[in-house]
């Protein structure tokens, strides 16, 4: 009986182990099946498992024929939530391009909800006065003919109450764009993609955690350089700037954007911030060596972080860019463009030495000054904002951005923005900053009366005496 019992126990144990094994195998199969649903394709894979993630699309599916996408918040509602000046990027990369006048066949199937995405064919600001072709997808197979421009295919899928999800199947007509995924695509994979892409594909796409970058395929330095360093720098710009802006997730209001910002190397002169994108005319701005300080990326990203109290777009963009450079520990020579920060405090002292009646902050931005940038004259205006950073730390600006998001003030014109900033600076710091603002040439007697009514103490150290240069002091 004892032997038979042991035999029965062994059979029971064997069955239990067998069932557990089958369950485990099924689970493994299901998980692998989920991860591979977006990999049924007829184009060469350009990535392995991606080292980055996105809430609205599977990064692994970029460049694959089946892509599952979810809705994100509408760009205008995100701008309102953050009280920012510019509308953010609100579209996802597919890794595909539709050549001019070519025909794309794509199938759209709702997985959750009822709404379907739009396709954008072409990239914002890639060419002057050319906007993407926008097509609303219908359920089932869609046949789309590109206009005379064609371009990279993006997905726009957003609403005020995002909850929908769609499966897209690219059937025919699309061409693979060389895609580099940060910390995922190897150099040899990238070089093969770069060289083997169809001759109709003129652009390449770099994918980071916070940014997407569109660059011309003719920029051959991209083929051999370490593009991870470029993407790391651009991601870091947005992370550092979001931190300065108090986007810490403590409330839904203070959550960072979930969509990636688009940077574009454009074919006409200049660098600028636009709705949805920032643009850079210099290909060298995306070289491996330039990533060490990334001035242009810092400055243009600053435009996309400006809030309603912003009274001058360039002053504010310089402030964000310089703040990021300081937080990175850059040298004073590379904190600002053309070494302008090296001389900034000399220019501030010259300004402070002017008679009271001649100091007017509203007129401090003066591009007619010789060597406006390299002399440091350009950065006098943002130095005022930096002095408050030096006096009260980054927490001062964390709180300023948070309170602005909570209050959503209606500020029309520079004067109302100056006053809002002056009063907020005093209430947040807990100090009467009348002397500071007077020294900088703020001409608002009513604001000074309102500051006096707060009955705040004077600061222990006047912020107007502070610099980040240990060899130079202001008195």
């Amino acid at each position: 009986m004892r032997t038979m019992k042991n035999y029965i126990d062994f059979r029971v144990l064997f069955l239990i182990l067998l069932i557990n094994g089958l369950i485990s195998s099924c689970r493994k199969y299901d998980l692998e099946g989920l991860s591979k649903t977006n990999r049924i394709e007829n184009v060469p894979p350009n990535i392995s498992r991606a080292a980055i993630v996105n809430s609205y699309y599977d990064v692994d599916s970029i460049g694959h024929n089946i892509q599952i996408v979810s809705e994100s918040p509408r760009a205008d509602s995100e701008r309102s939530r953050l009280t920012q000046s510019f509308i953010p990027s609100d579209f996802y990369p597919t890794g595909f391009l539709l050549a001019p006048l070519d025909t794309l066949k794509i199938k759209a199937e709702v997985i959750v909800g009822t709404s379907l995405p739009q396709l954008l064919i072409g990239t914002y600001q890639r060419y002057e006065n050319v906007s993407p072709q926008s097509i609303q997808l219908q359920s089932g197979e869609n046949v789309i003919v590109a206009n005379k421009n064609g371009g990279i295919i993006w997905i726009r899928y957003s609403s005020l109450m995002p909850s929908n999800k769609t499966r897209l199947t690219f059937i025919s007509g699309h061409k693979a764009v060389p895609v580099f995924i940060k910390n995922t695509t190897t150099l040899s994979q990238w070089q093969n993609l770069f060289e083997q892409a169809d001759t109709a594909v003129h652009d390449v796409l770099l994918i980071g955690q916070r940014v997407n970058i569109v660059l011309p395929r003719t920029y051959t330095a991209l083929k051999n350089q370490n593009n991870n360093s470029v993407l790391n720098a651009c991601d870091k710009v947005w992370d550092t700037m979001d931190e300065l802006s108090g986007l810490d997730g403590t409330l839904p209001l203070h959550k960072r954007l979930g969509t990636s910002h688009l940077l574009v190397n454009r074919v006409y002169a200049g660098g600028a911030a636009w709705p949805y994108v920032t643009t850079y005319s210099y290909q060298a701005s995306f070289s491996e060596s330039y990533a060490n300080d990334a001035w242009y990326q810092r400055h243009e990203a600053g435009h996309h972080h400006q809030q309603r109290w912003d009274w001058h777009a360039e002053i504010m963009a310089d402030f964000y860019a310089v703040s990021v450079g300081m937080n990175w520990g850059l040298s004073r020579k590379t904190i600002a463009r053309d070494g302008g920060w090296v001389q900034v405090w000399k220019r501030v002292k010259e300004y402070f030495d002017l008679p009271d009646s001649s100091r007017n902050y509203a007129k401090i931005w003066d591009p007619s000054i010789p060597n406006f940038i390299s002399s440091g004259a350009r950065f006098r205006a943002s130095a005022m904002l930096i002095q408050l950073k030096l006096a009260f730390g980054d927490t001062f600006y964390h709180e300023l951005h948070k309170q602005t998001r909570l209050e959503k003030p209606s500020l029309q014109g520079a004067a109302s923005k100056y006053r809002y900033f002056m009063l907020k600076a005093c209430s947040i710091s807990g100090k009467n900053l009348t002397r500071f603002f007077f020294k900088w040439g703020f001409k608002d007697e009513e604001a000074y009366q309102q500051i006096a009514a707060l009955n705040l103490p004077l600061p222990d150290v006047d912020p107007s005496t502070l610099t980040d240069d240990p060899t130079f002091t202001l008195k």
Side-chain angles (χ1 to χ4, degrees):
M1 284 295 292
R2 182 168 183 165
T3 303
M4 181 60 69
K5 181 177 183 298
N6 289 343
Y7 174 70
I8 292 171
D9 290 345
F10 174 78
R11 287 195 303 172
V12 170
L13 178 61
F14 176 78
L15 286 171
I16 291 171
L17 290 172
L18 179 62
I19 291 169
N20 284 338
L22 287 170
I23 292 171
S24 176
S25 176
C26 289
R27 285 175 177 166
K28 181 179 179 183
Y29 176 82
D30 288 343
L31 290 171
E32 289 179 347
L34 277 173
S35 67
K36 291 180 178 178
T37 55
N38 289 352
R39 298 187 184 190
I40 303 170
E41 56 204 357
N42 55 20
V43 296
N46 57 6
I47 52 175
S48 54
R49 291 298 298 175
I52 58 176
V53 295
N54 189 279
S55 300
Y56 307 119
Y57 57 90
D58 182 2
V59 177
D60 283 316
S61 73
I62 296 173
H64 296 242
N65 283 346
I66 295 181
Q67 303 188 16
I68 296 175
V69 293
S70 299
E71 278 185 325
S72 57
R74 264 177 39 177
D76 56 350
S77 66
E78 288 292 81
R79 177 176 61 176
S80 176
R81 173 177 71 85
L82 299 171
T83 67
Q84 291 178 343
S85 301
F86 283 90
I87 195 164
S89 302
D90 67 340
F91 34 81
Y92 321 147
T94 64
F96 293 131
L97 172 143
L98 187 60
L101 305 179
D102 274 7
T103 299
L104 171 70
K105 289 185 179 180
I106 181 172
K107 184 179 180 181
E109 304 169 271
V110 170
I111 298 174
V112 177
T114 58
S115 72
L116 290 162
Q118 294 177 324
L119 284 192
L120 301 179
I121 301 173
T123 300
Y124 281 101
Q125 299 300 330
R126 180 67 180 89
Y127 302 97
E128 189 170 10
N129 299 322
V130 176
S131 297
Q133 179 183 356
S134 179
I135 301 98
Q136 175 62 55
L137 294 176
Q138 304 300 319
S139 182
E141 187 173 303
N142 296 255
V143 179
I144 298 164
V145 179
N147 61 22
K148 64 179 181 179
N149 302 305
I152 290 179
I153 302 171
W154 306 87
I155 299 166
R156 171 172 279 154
Y157 197 23
S158 61
S159 70
L160 290 174
M161 300 289 290
S163 61
N164 294 278
K165 181 181 290 189
T166 294
R167 177 186 290 106
L168 300 176
T169 304
F170 289 83
I171 300 170
S172 65
H174 53 294
K175 301 180 186 298
V177 173
V179 176
F180 185 96
I181 309 288
K182 188 177 88 166
N183 297 334
T184 305
T185 309
T186 67
L187 181 59
S188 61
Q189 287 174 330
W190 173 240
Q191 290 172 336
N192 288 336
L193 292 165
F194 206 99
E195 293 167 358
Q196 295 172 10
D198 191 282
T199 55
V201 177
H202 301 302
D203 291 337
V204 302
L205 184 59
L206 309 184
I207 304 290
Q209 183 62 58
R210 304 299 311 280
V211 300
N212 300 318
I213 306 175
V214 171
L215 296 165
R217 196 172 162 200
T218 53
Y219 184 31
T220 55
L222 291 170
K223 187 170 69 173
N224 299 308
Q225 73 175 10
N226 178 8
N227 290 307
N228 284 318
S229 64
V230 176
L231 287 165
N232 283 333
C234 293
D235 281 348
K236 190 178 177 182
V237 166
W238 279 77
D239 284 340
T240 311
M241 216 165 278
D242 282 356
E243 183 178 350
L244 181 67
S245 301
L247 293 171
D248 54 14
T250 51
L251 292 175
L253 193 64
H254 306 317
K255 187 174 67 173
R256 298 182 181 190
L257 289 168
T259 50
S260 298
H261 178 73
L262 179 61
L263 297 83
V264 179
N265 175 227
R266 62 184 186 178
V267 297
Y268 54 104
W274 310 81
Y276 307 116
V277 302
T278 52
T279 56
Y280 312 81
S281 63
Y282 309 111
Q283 293 177 356
S285 297
F286 298 96
S287 67
E288 185 178 348
S289 60
Y290 190 78
N292 293 328
D293 61 81
W295 165 259
Y296 285 105
Q297 287 87 341
R298 286 187 280 136
H299 177 85
E300 301 306 339
H303 284 301
H304 269 259
H305 283 79
Q306 293 166 197
Q307 286 191 308
R308 291 183 181 176
W309 50 270
D310 140 43
W311 54 77
H312 190 286
E314 296 305 314
I315 292 172
M316 292 302 161
D318 282 352
F319 159 68
Y320 286 105
V322 168
S323 290
V324 168
M326 293 175 70
N327 288 1
W328 286 6
L330 295 182
S331 70
R332 300 190 67 254
K333 187 175 181 179
T334 56
I335 280 177
R337 178 183 168 186
D338 298 346
W341 199 253
V342 173
Q343 303 294 329
V344 66
W345 299 116
K346 291 181 181 179
R347 304 289 86 81
V348 169
K349 185 178 186 308
E350 292 167 357
Y351 177 73
F352 283 170
D353 287 343
L354 294 172
D356 292 348
S357 59
S358 298
R359 293 195 307 275
N360 186 343
Y361 188 85
K363 298 180 179 180
I364 197 170
W365 181 271
D366 184 5
S368 68
I369 296 174
N371 303 312
F372 182 55
I373 299 174
S374 60
S375 71
R378 165 176 171 151
F379 302 105
R380 295 177 305 174
S382 53
M384 183 275 294
L385 296 158
I386 292 298
Q387 284 188 324
L388 294 175
K389 171 187 171 75
L390 296 173
F392 306 115
D394 278 2
T395 54
F396 170 84
Y397 284 107
H398 300 168
E399 191 61 28
L400 174 60
H401 285 81
K402 285 183 173 183
Q403 290 191 20
T404 303
R405 285 192 289 272
L406 285 164
E407 296 173 6
K408 290 185 169 31
S410 177
L411 304 173
Q412 302 298 322
S416 64
K417 295 177 181 182
Y418 288 144
R419 183 174 301 176
Y420 181 83
F421 179 79
M422 292 168 72
L423 291 168
K424 279 295 173 190
C426 294
S427 63
I428 291 170
S429 67
K431 303 296 182 182
N432 184 325
L433 298 177
T434 295
R435 293 179 184 176
F436 172 79
F437 287 118
F438 182 81
K439 196 163 187 177
W440 273 104
F442 281 76
K443 312 287 188 181
D444 189 336
E445 291 304 321
E446 185 175 339
Y448 289 133
Q449 292 174 13
Q450 292 180 31
I451 290 172
L454 296 174
N455 294 317
L456 297 171
L458 295 174
D460 297 332
V461 177
D462 183 354
S464 67
T465 64
L466 301 178
T467 79
D468 68 330
D469 184 349
T471 68
F472 193 89
T473 57
L474 293 166
K475 295 182 180 179

